[in-house]
Amino acid sequence: MGTNTKLGQVALLIGLVQMPIGVMASDHQDHHHHEFEEHQAHLHGQGLLTLVQDQNLVQVSLEVDTHSLWGFEHAPADESQWAKVEQVLAQLETGHGLFSLNGEAQCRPDGVSLSRPEGLDHPTEHGHMELEVSWQWRCKAPSALNQLEVGLFDQFPELHSLTVQRLTAQGSGGGQLSRQHSTLSW
């Protein structure tokens, strides 16, 4: 089983663990839950950050609307918009520096996986666009991992808050990060 597949399964488990018991117990309620999510207006400036540890591997994944990253949610309309998109994508692809894992864990970057937003290359595409990116690290002392500092807020002024989900050797948890509170400790 590949590393990304295994980490993806663990991330899926986080979602199931945090899902309300009543939602898991009833298909009828599940249907209404998804219906509610589909009809909610999305909010710019908010994203989901997931941290998953599997032995010495750590993956941090970000799901966020593109408006929070490059200021619009449509395919780039001109050269300046394309330049902004390409700058942000390059920054994210080399983005391990956007995060700091506590030094005692002795983690080193090990890969990046970026999914370009659907419709990005279609000039007539308008509407909600999301970007997903994951950064991986390998840690020499994974049991010492107990902190993640997030530098995304400094780089992306339109990003205001992140809902965090975490599953590590120490257990699971979550919280909210913002420009004023950008460090998650456990």
Side-chain angles (χ1 to χ4, degrees), residues 62 66-71 84 87-92 94-99 135 149-160 162 178-179 182:
L62 173 68
T66 60
H67 186 275
S68 297
L69 300 174
W70 53 66
K84 180 65 176 173
Q87 174 211 355
V88 168
L89 292 176
Q91 188 175 10
L92 293 172
T94 60
H96 284 90
L98 296 170
F99 303 95
W135 299 268
E149 188 175 330
V150 177
L152 292 166
F153 300 106
D154 295 333
Q155 297 299 314
F156 303 106
E158 295 296 320
L159 184 61
H160 304 292
L162 292 170
S178 65
R179 191 171 311 285
S182 61

Side-chain angles (χ1 to χ4, degrees), residues 14 34 36 42 73 75 101 104 137 140-141 152 156 162 184:
I14 288 176
H34 288 295
F36 175 74
H42 71 273
E73 282 189 294
L101 300 168
E104 298 82 7
W137 289 262
K140 289 184 180 177
L152 292 166
F156 303 106
L162 292 170
L184 179 69

Side-chain angles (χ1 to χ4, degrees), residues 38-160:
E38 288 174 9
H39 295 291
Q40 278 185 323
H42 71 273
L43 299 173
H44 294 160
Q46 299 180 0
L48 174 64
L49 192 72
T50 306
L51 183 144
V52 177
Q53 176 188 3
D54 182 14
Q55 298 177 9
N56 70 330
L57 299 174
V58 174
Q59 178 170 297
V60 174
S61 301
L62 173 68
E63 295 178 33
V64 66
D65 64 279
T66 60
H67 186 275
S68 297
L69 300 174
W70 53 66
F72 52 90
E73 282 189 294
H74 55 78
D78 57 37
E79 286 184 31
S80 68
Q81 287 185 345
W82 269 114
K84 180 65 176 173
V85 168
E86 293 303 328
Q87 174 211 355
V88 168
L89 292 176
Q91 188 175 10
L92 293 172
E93 287 174 343
T94 60
H96 284 90
L98 296 170
F99 303 95
S100 177
L101 300 168
N102 60 297
E104 298 82 7
Q106 301 176 42
C107 302
R108 62 175 169 73
D110 192 50
V112 177
S113 173
L114 187 137
S115 298
R116 291 171 66 96
E118 220 175 285
L120 184 63
D121 298 313
H122 303 288
T124 59
E125 190 70 30
H126 291 278
H128 185 66
M129 280 191 184
E130 282 198 0
L131 181 132
E132 295 179 20
V133 60
S134 297
W135 299 268
Q136 297 85 30
W137 289 262
R138 287 197 185 271
C139 303
K140 289 184 180 177
S143 62
L145 182 64
N146 63 9
Q147 185 173 306
L148 172 70
E149 188 175 330
V150 177
L152 292 166
F153 300 106
D154 295 333
Q155 297 299 314
F156 303 106
E158 295 296 320
L159 184 61
H160 304 292

Side-chain angles (χ1 to χ4, degrees), residues 19-41:
M19 189 179 296
I21 299 296
V23 172
M24 289 190 296
S26 167
D27 288 341
H28 181 72
Q29 285 178 330
D30 188 46
H31 172 74
H32 288 291
H33 177 73
H34 288 295
E35 209 172 75
F36 175 74
E37 284 180 352
E38 288 174 9
H39 295 291
Q40 278 185 323

